Amino acid sequence: MAALKIKKGSSSHSAYDLRDSHSQIESSHTLAVIVDNEAGVLARVIGLFSGRGYNIDSLTVAEVDHKGHKSRITVVTRGTESVIDQIKAQLGRIVPVHEVKDLTVEGSPVERELALIKVSGTGDKRIEALRLAEIFRANVVDSTLESFVFEITGTPEKIDAFADLMRPLGLAEVARTGVAALSRGV
Amino acid sequence: MARQMTGAKMVVQALKDQGVDTIFGYPGGAVLPIYDEIFQQNDIHHILVRHEQAAVHMAEGYARSTGKPGVVLVTSGPGATNAVTGLTDALMDSIPLVVFTGQVPTFMVGTDGFQEADTVGITRPCTKHNWLVKDTDKLSETIHQAFHVATSGRPGPVLIDMPKDVQFATGTYTPPKAARTDNYQPQVKGDLEAITQLVELIEQAERPVFYTGGGVINSGPAASQLLRELVDATGFPITSTLMGLGAYPASGKSWLGMLGMHGLYEANLAMHGCDLMINLGARFDDRITGRIPDFSPRSTKVHVDIDASSINKIIPVELPILGDIGHVLEDVLKVWKARGRKVNKAGLEKWWKKIDEWRAVNCLAYTNSEKTIKPQYALQRLEELTKGMDRYITTEVGQHQMWAAQFLGFEDPNRWMTSGGLGTMGYGFPASIGVQIAHPDALVINVAGEASWLMNMQEMGTASQFRTPVKQFILNNERLGMVRQWQELLHGERYSQSWSESLPDFVKLAESFGWKGIQVSDPAELDDAIMEMINYDGPVLFDCLVEKHENCFPMIPSGKPHNEMLLAADADAFKEGATLV
Ligand SMILES: Cc1ncc(C[n+]2csc(CCOP(=O)(O)OP(=O)(O)O)c2C)c(N)n1
Ligand SMILES: [Mg+2]
């Protein structure tokens, strides 16, 4: 029988991109899920991930449209291409979910995370922490004679790097918001 | 023209406005205001069950045999938790249900109040959607939305949890037309470009097969009609899952029988050897596919489904079409006819020759006996004596269920109700009552195993009270037969806990509820006994004592490909070293 005359990558008629085979390589995807801000909606999304065994690397949520009561959930997840497709389709099935955007597929998105990092110490270590904070453009938002709280924004990698540097200098506590992301351009 | 009324009254009003005439339920403290309203009206008929699980299965039977949503009303706490098995069953089999639960008053929610359970939390993963309504003004709109969600797209059960103070309070009633439903509108039309590609495949295929599922039934009778037209016009063979039986008639010339783990040889081999597989509303369940890498290795696969998450979930397909089966089939027929109704005649002729060879294997053959009733024989006689009647069949879960699927023929959709996805023992008896309530004059038979049947036997009282003349056709092998079969084939014949001990005297049990009881063990008396059952105007408990050690074949041990199916003759050679999952 003749081969199918469907363009690879065409998805006009389907829920999925067509492709040769399902690759087994896992990759990280940042998804933006637009939902009605109603009771239990976050539990539905999280329950879907735990119930079906998907990964959540990061999750943030807040109402972004107060008039329309819409929230944006940003999830960073990992999986093979077919698992990512399943995650998107399963999210799309949740009744209060309006839209599922795969920001990773749309192009590398702008991703930012905010962290508060407490470092305690005195003497040289304290001075070194302050110097590094400047390089990373972290702000001091609280200070005592034995401690600082730094506020830092950036990609998750930048925050990891900063936290790693603070460890020998007296890293005491870290609080992170998780990733907020938008696609680039219009 | 806003109408003010209590929340409890709204429930009854909304049900009337949704065209509901029957609900299945059980009262309790947290739903008393609603029961008070039910008492004061005559439009909605309430069927009092004996256990809330059974209420949900009855509603499923009602829904599957009518195409309308089933409605359930239960109380908070234990009422709600008892409903969970039924909800999960309905979710797995895509059955539209609207389930109402009472809840402790809003000011008590979260305090571990008497009969409080986190119902929306517990039922979140086993409903299509659920709501906790905290404001009487929102109650009626939520109910209308619930009916919309339950019946649109891929159908499923939904639940509305109503604190008692919300039922007592007065609010504004929203009629169905004013309720907002535009935010949930699944796509029903398939993409025309993809449909044209499907038609091209249909025109060229040498070894095609239609693989149909419950989605065809759920799409409505028109979809089954269109399917018949397409199958008959193309002359393509067709098989179906357990859930899809009846969409294409068993007497149709292209019918291969059911496929899957206990499906027919010819159906499974056609799936294995085809070059074009057209999946209509089935979901590549693991009881169908067997070992994934060996599943139909040389075919181009097309999958039409209303649920995007079913597509490419298990088996990657070359041509996905998102849409409602009825709408898509209508367009497929239109395009195929417009392009000249072409098929690959030469290829098809060879393909049917091959299929006929497989058919000749006669995979359902069994050794009959003059001394004991073989379960297959009992079903063949039941089929012979009831076919052509206005008949509905439900089943429990086990060997008898698979034999019923193999040996009974379904000519129409909505005539066959069985627990497919969840495999819930105890489903069939209450489901048969739900079917009978919807079709008071029809012959409704539950093909049961004795063990499954006992799981919801309390519903005998419901059947007596509401005068449903349901026939409980129990193939009594005094065994958890399906478990016993696996133990024989896969666990070294160690029959751990698979006996039905201490069974009741079914005839006396029947009589104690005002039913008729019939027991039969002699094959020569079987026909008369079946006729007696059919002709009796009332519920019958039919205790058919059958061979205790019969196995159900064909069987594809899971983890095996379709072409390594076990037939009755191979069973002994197989017993060593396989595993089922
Ligand atoms: C609620 C529930 N519990 C357990 C099972 C596992 N199970 C599947 S079939 C079966 C035995 C059924 O026995 P019976 O109803 O007598 O039917 P038979 O196989 O003998 O025809 C069991 C225990 C199930 N499907 N459902
Ligand atoms: Mg049994």
Side-chain angles (χ1 to χ4, degrees), chain B residues 53 85 375 396-403 422-426 448-455 474-485 497-498 500 546 548:
Chain B
Q53 181 192 352
T85 300
E396 302 289 347
V397 171
Q399 290 179 315
H400 63 276
Q401 177 190 29
M402 294 298 115
W403 281 316
L422 197 63
T424 312
M425 291 171 68
E450 80 296 335
S452 295
W453 193 83
L454 291 176
M455 283 205 179
I474 300 180
L475 296 174
N476 183 353
N477 52 11
E478 297 174 22
R479 300 289 182 279
L480 313 185
M482 191 57 98
V483 173
R484 195 208 61 79
Q485 173 166 350
Q497 309 295 324
S498 55
S500 288
V546 296
K548 301 182 199 319

